[in-house]
Amino acid sequence: MDHIKAHRLKDALDSGDAERIAAAQALFWDKANWMPMSKPCHDRKTARLDGGFGNRKGGV
C-alpha cells in the first residue's frame, strides 16, 4: 500500500508543529489517498522520491 499524495508525517513530527502533524496524520489515514502497490514497486518509488539507493531526494 502506498499514498497517492505524500503525507510527510515524519517531517511534520520532526517540526513539532501541532497543526502540521494533524494534517499529515489525516492524510496518512485517509483511505481515499491509498493505492495498492507491490513491495518492489513501493520500494523503487520510495527510493526515487526520498533519495534512497543513491538517488537524489525528489528525483524523477
Side-chain angles (χ1 to χ4, degrees):
M1 200 60 64
D2 197 16
H3 295 88
I4 298 166
K5 181 178 177 186
H7 50 77
R8 301 290 182 214
L9 182 55
K10 183 182 180 321
D11 294 339
L13 291 168
D14 290 345
S15 77
D17 181 334
E19 288 182 24
R20 189 172 167 195
I21 292 168
Q25 287 175 331
L27 192 56
F28 182 90
W29 291 110
D30 180 3
K31 290 182 182 179
N33 192 39
W34 294 355
M35 69 176 157
M37 186 176 279
S38 70
K39 173 93 169 100
C41 290
H42 179 272
D43 291 349
R44 280 192 302 272
K45 179 184 174 206
T46 300
R48 187 179 75 245
L49 297 177
D50 293 347
F53 305 116
N55 294 311
R56 288 185 178 162
K57 190 170 185 173
V60 180

